[in-house]
Amino acid sequence: MEQLAKAVKPFLEYDLLVEKLTSRGMILRDSLRAQRKLTQIGYYRLSGYWHPALKYKFIQPKEIIKYDEFQTGTTFDSIFDFYLFDKKIRLELLCAIERIEIYLRTIVAHELGRIHPQAHFDKKNFSRFSTSIEKGDRFSEFELWHRKHQQLLEDSREDSIRSHIDNEKPIPIWVACEAWNFGTLSKLYSMLSGANQQMICDRLGIDKRQVLDNWLINLNGIRNRCAHHSRVCNRSNIRTIMTPKNGYFNLIALGSSESNKLYGLVVVIWFLLSKIGPSSDWINRMADLLDDKPEVIGLTFKSMGLPETGFPRKLFPKTIRTEPDIPVFADLIESANNQNLQILDMLREKKHDSEVDHELLKRTVESLLELAMKLEEL
């Protein structure tokens, strides 16, 4: 216990933590604000966001030594902007993954339900590897999954599930799936026989069943990071993204570094969202968000798997920003300007209200209102 106590870092109050940041070279324009943010977020949660801004040097191509000092120009405000930026990305990812999770859960339950209402109990629908017991283990993966599945059913408060349980009726897979989480779904798919996996992939336009297994593992991992409020934007994926032979993926042509970062996940998520809802504008929001990343030392487009110029909008035509077609209203604008000049000349020359051309005033106001409405429609 004495040895353990020597290894533990000393406890520091918030004001001392702020002083520690300053001593390491971080610029704090408002130390009280910095202290307040540390009380809200926590020193070590925020440390993940300033870690890329630490000084470092390369010893070998793949070996880096990091120092306990910040690079010149590192500010607390920029680090906090990084934190808020990452939060916005997490919210967009969660929004997309929610739709994907429900979609995939529905497909899996429907395809297996076609075989039998309780196909998930029949070992014939699963690989021999998942149903066999490895040396030293007490249960097979199949049995462990069913233990977890049963617990989820018992804990569920879904009316459809409670109704079946209360009436002691067998629960078909399309009802039971309402209790699943992403991890349960991912594990079930990984245990299915090759034929059943391919049946589900065919619904999604994926040529290799291992690709979907890879996606489910990555999506489950990023979902868990988002749900636990962990940093996501410049971290490596759980596994390097695999891609099918598909026109969409052939066009984008993910490289190894892109497949291992956030951009690779965005590409996969958009492929799936496009299947679910072709009218979705999620990719527009994500592209705008990524392009507007804060200026933070250590946070680059490359660290998120993106090209150095930002989000590659040419590969995603829906994200290309278009400028309003102002020339369409050129005649209207010129007419309004001419009438304005006439009114100014008239007011300079006339002294009495009776001499003002009220009809000209009325026409000018009407033309300006028309112009305003047209511009508002852009």
Side-chain angles (χ1 to χ4, degrees):
M1 191 62 161
E2 185 178 348
Q3 286 286 357
L4 181 62
K6 289 181 180 178
V8 175
K9 292 184 177 181
F11 174 81
L12 295 177
E13 289 290 357
Y14 295 114
D15 56 340
L16 295 179
L17 290 173
V18 168
E19 288 182 15
K20 183 178 180 180
L21 291 176
T22 304
S23 69
R24 296 171 67 186
M26 183 181 285
I27 300 170
L28 280 74
R29 295 188 176 88
D30 186 340
S31 59
L32 289 178
R33 179 177 183 269
Q35 183 173 324
R36 187 169 65 252
K37 294 305 176 186
L38 291 181
T39 65
Q40 297 169 354
I41 301 168
Y43 183 92
Y44 281 96
R45 174 176 291 277
L46 206 55
S47 69
Y49 296 91
W50 67 57
H51 193 262
L54 293 172
K55 292 181 179 179
Y56 64 91
K57 71 175 180 180
F58 291 99
I59 303 300
Q60 294 177 358
K62 293 186 178 181
E63 185 177 352
I64 301 174
I65 292 182
K66 290 222 172 190
Y67 298 96
D68 202 28
E69 296 179 9
F70 292 105
Q71 296 181 49
T72 303
T74 302
T75 68
F76 184 88
D77 289 342
S78 68
I79 299 301
F80 188 67
D81 287 342
F82 182 5
Y83 174 81
L84 295 178
F85 170 70
D86 192 67
K87 179 180 179 180
K88 292 175 183 177
I89 289 178
R90 291 199 305 271
L91 292 174
E92 286 295 348
L93 290 172
L94 277 174
C95 177
I97 292 172
E98 177 191 8
R99 294 194 70 182
I100 292 170
E101 179 178 351
I102 294 171
Y103 178 63
L104 294 178
R105 201 167 65 188
T106 303
I107 286 177
V108 170
H110 187 83
E111 294 301 322
L112 292 180
R114 183 184 284 117
I115 298 171
H116 189 277
Q118 291 191 307
H120 52 303
F121 284 108
D122 190 346
K123 290 185 178 181
K124 290 188 298 184
N125 294 318
F126 297 84
S127 67
R128 283 183 293 177
F129 175 78
S130 68
T131 57
S132 60
I133 299 176
E134 294 293 314
K135 187 176 180 180
D137 293 337
R138 293 181 59 195
F139 305 102
S140 67
E141 288 187 348
F142 178 79
E143 290 169 324
L144 289 173
W145 184 89
H146 271 283
R147 283 170 170 261
K148 177 65 175 176
H149 175 250
Q150 187 60 37
Q151 189 61 54
L152 289 172
L153 291 177
E154 292 174 4
D155 294 341
S156 175
R157 292 294 174 265
E158 290 288 337
D159 291 343
S160 57
I161 293 174
R162 295 316 312 171
S163 174
H164 280 77
I165 292 175
D166 293 342
N167 290 289
E168 299 181 348
K169 294 168 58 179
I171 305 176
I173 190 171
W174 55 84
V175 175
C177 73
E178 292 301 314
W180 298 352
N181 53 39
F182 213 123
T184 311
L185 170 66
S186 176
K187 188 61 180 177
L188 176 66
Y189 176 83
S190 72
M191 296 190 304
L192 289 174
S193 66
N196 284 333
Q197 286 183 340
Q198 193 58 55
M199 176 176 61
I200 293 164
C201 287
D202 289 343
R203 284 281 305 270
L204 300 170
I206 300 173
D207 58 346
K208 292 183 179 179
R209 59 182 188 271
Q210 295 87 349
V211 169
L212 182 55
D213 191 31
N214 172 272
W215 289 1
L216 290 172
I217 291 169
N218 276 295
L219 290 170
N220 184 47
I222 198 70
R223 179 195 175 281
N224 289 340
R225 286 179 181 176
C226 292
H228 292 93
H229 323 298
S230 299
R231 178 171 48 88
V232 297
C233 73
N234 62 342
R235 292 178 68 181
S236 297
N237 296 330
I238 305 299
R239 294 187 184 178
T240 300
I241 293 290
M242 295 174 64
T243 55
K245 292 180 180 179
N246 171 290
Y248 168 82
F249 288 100
N250 293 341
L251 175 66
I252 294 173
L254 290 175
S256 58
S257 60
E258 297 166 328
S259 298
N260 197 36
K261 294 290 185 177
L262 174 66
Y263 174 57
L265 272 173
V266 169
V267 169
V268 167
I269 287 172
W270 180 237
F271 173 80
L272 292 171
L273 282 182
S274 298
K275 295 277 184 183
I276 303 168
S279 62
S280 170
D281 64 350
W282 181 85
I283 195 65
N284 302 56
R285 300 197 304 273
M286 183 57 77
D288 290 345
L289 181 55
L290 290 171
D291 273 345
D292 292 336
K293 78 168 185 65
E295 293 298 321
V296 184
I297 293 175
L299 176 62
T300 63
F301 285 122
K302 188 177 180 180
S303 69
M304 296 184 284
L306 291 162
E308 293 181 357
T309 53
F311 194 86
R313 293 175 183 269
K314 288 184 179 180
L315 298 177
F316 302 84
K318 195 168 186 175
T319 67
I320 296 175
R321 292 167 171 164
T322 56
E323 296 296 328
D325 191 8
I326 297 299
V328 171
F329 306 106
D331 293 341
L332 191 58
I333 294 172
E334 183 179 359
S335 173
N337 285 336
N338 290 336
Q339 290 180 5
N340 286 337
L341 290 174
Q342 291 181 48
I343 290 174
L344 288 173
D345 291 340
M346 178 179 62
L347 294 176
R348 275 195 292 265
E349 295 173 3
K350 309 292 183 181
K351 294 183 179 180
H352 302 292
D353 182 68
S354 59
E355 298 175 320
V356 174
D357 189 340
H358 293 282
E359 185 60 32
L360 177 60
L361 281 172
K362 181 180 177 182
R363 290 200 307 273
T364 302
V365 170
E366 289 175 349
S367 65
L368 289 173
L369 286 173
E370 182 183 0
L371 176 61
M373 287 187 290
K374 291 288 186 182
L375 292 175
E376 188 175 355
E377 292 174 359
L378 292 177

